Amino acid sequence: MTAFTVIIPARYGASRLPGKPLRQIAGAPMIRHVWERARESGAERVLVATDDARIADVVSAFGGEARLTSADHASGTDRLAEVAAREALAGESIVVNLQGDEPLMPPTLLAQVAEVLAMAPDAAMATLATPLGDSAELDNPNVVKVVTGTDGRALYFSRAPIPWDRDGAPAERLALARRHLGIYAYRVAFLHRYPGLPATALERLEQLEQLRALANGERIQVADARTSPGPGVDTPEDLERVARLLQAREP
C-alpha cells in the first residue's frame, strides 16, 4: 500500500455556512467526521490545517492533530503547502488533500488517489473523476468537468460543458466528459513549488486552483474513482441531508 499523509484544510469563514467545520452532524462537529474518514483510509498521519483557533481546539479535544496556518491563503493547496513546509515532509512523500466539508468521502478513495500518484512518477498531482449522470450535470457550472488524454493526463478542467460536440450528439458528450471530484494527492516537492507559481487568467476566470498547475506545465494524473463519494456540505440543506445519511449508517 502506498504511504501517504492526509491534510484536511478547514476554514472557519464560509459565505453560505459560516463556521462550517464546527457545525454539528449526528452528535459531532463536521470536522470530526471528516477526520474519521481520513483515519479509516490507512494514512500514516492525519493533520487538520486551519486558520482559526476554535477549530484547532476542537480537533485537539477529540485527539486529532491541528496546525494553525495563515488566514491569507488563496486556496487549500496554499494552506497545505505551508503545513508541508513546517512539518519538513520529505519531497518525495505524498500528501492527500481531503476537504473539510466532505464527511462522507469514502476512505478507499483517499488511498486510491495516493496510489494513482505513486504510479505516475512524472506527475505532480493526481485526482479522481466519475461519469456524469446526465446532460443537466454537464451544463451545471457548479459541477466541475475534466477531460483527459489517452494516458489519463488532465488536459483541462472547466465549469463549462466540455467537451463541446459540434454536431450535437449528446450521448457522445456524456461518454467523454467526467465529473471531477475535489480530492487530490500531491508530491511534497510540488507543494513546495506551488506558492511560487504565477496565478493565471484561467485560474481566476474559472475559480479552479488546479488550473494554475496545468497552466505552468505541471502534469495532473486522473483516474476513475472506484466508488462514488457521498455529498459534500456547502449549504444548510446539505448539512441536513448529510446528517440524515450519517444517522442511517449508524448500527
Side-chain angles (χ1 to χ4, degrees):
M1 179 178 173
T2 299
F4 62 98
T5 295
V6 175
I7 303 181
I8 304 168
R11 292 176 57 248
Y12 188 87
S15 58
R16 288 183 287 182
L17 202 59
K20 183 163 58 171
L22 301 183
R23 295 293 183 114
Q24 292 289 307
I25 303 178
M30 180 165 62
I31 190 62
R32 177 160 191 167
H33 292 289
V34 178
W35 176 82
E36 287 174 350
R37 300 295 84 74
R39 294 275 293 174
E40 292 163 0
S41 71
E44 292 186 322
R45 192 177 180 195
V46 178
L47 296 166
V48 175
T50 182
D51 61 352
D52 194 280
R54 288 166 289 188
I55 296 173
D57 289 344
V58 166
V59 171
S60 297
F62 63 66
E65 286 189 87
R67 298 292 181 267
L68 280 171
T69 63
S70 170
D72 299 326
H73 290 309
S75 71
T77 306
D78 292 296
R79 198 172 304 281
L80 265 66
E82 179 185 341
V83 173
R86 285 170 49 189
E87 296 294 312
L89 300 181
E92 68 275 11
S93 59
I94 291 175
V95 165
V96 172
N97 177 347
L98 173 59
Q99 297 296 327
D101 57 5
E102 294 281 358
L104 292 175
M105 180 63 70
T108 55
L109 295 189
L110 303 180
Q112 183 190 357
V113 76
E115 178 186 346
V116 171
L117 183 56
M119 297 297 289
D122 58 343
M125 299 170 55
T127 191
L128 302 177
T130 59
L132 285 163
D134 53 34
S135 58
E137 278 196 327
L138 184 60
D139 293 330
N140 185 347
N142 294 315
V143 174
V144 177
K145 278 70 68 174
V146 59
V147 290
T148 65
T150 56
D151 57 357
R153 178 175 56 89
L155 299 177
Y156 194 62
F157 298 84
S158 183
R159 299 182 184 280
I162 58 171
W164 182 261
D165 181 65
R166 188 188 64 177
D167 297 326
E172 187 171 0
R173 289 175 70 199
L174 282 175
L176 291 172
R178 286 188 287 169
R179 177 179 187 144
H180 174 233
L181 305 183
I183 179 173
Y184 300 98
Y186 308 89
R187 298 190 193 280
V188 168
F190 167 71
L191 284 177
H192 293 331
R193 296 196 302 274
Y194 183 83
L197 296 177
T200 66
L202 287 174
E203 176 190 5
R204 289 191 294 269
L205 188 65
E206 295 257 24
Q207 291 294 295
L208 297 173
E209 62 189 271
Q210 64 269 36
L211 291 179
R212 186 189 310 182
L214 283 186
N216 283 282
E218 303 285 356
R219 175 172 176 166
I220 303 176
Q221 192 70 23
V222 184
D224 287 327
R226 291 174 181 152
T227 187
S228 297
V233 177
D234 288 315
T235 67
E237 293 76 20
D238 293 337
L239 196 69
E240 294 176 5
R241 180 185 179 195
V242 168
R244 289 194 298 269
L245 290 170
L246 279 170
Q247 287 165 351
R249 286 169 33 165
E250 293 180 354

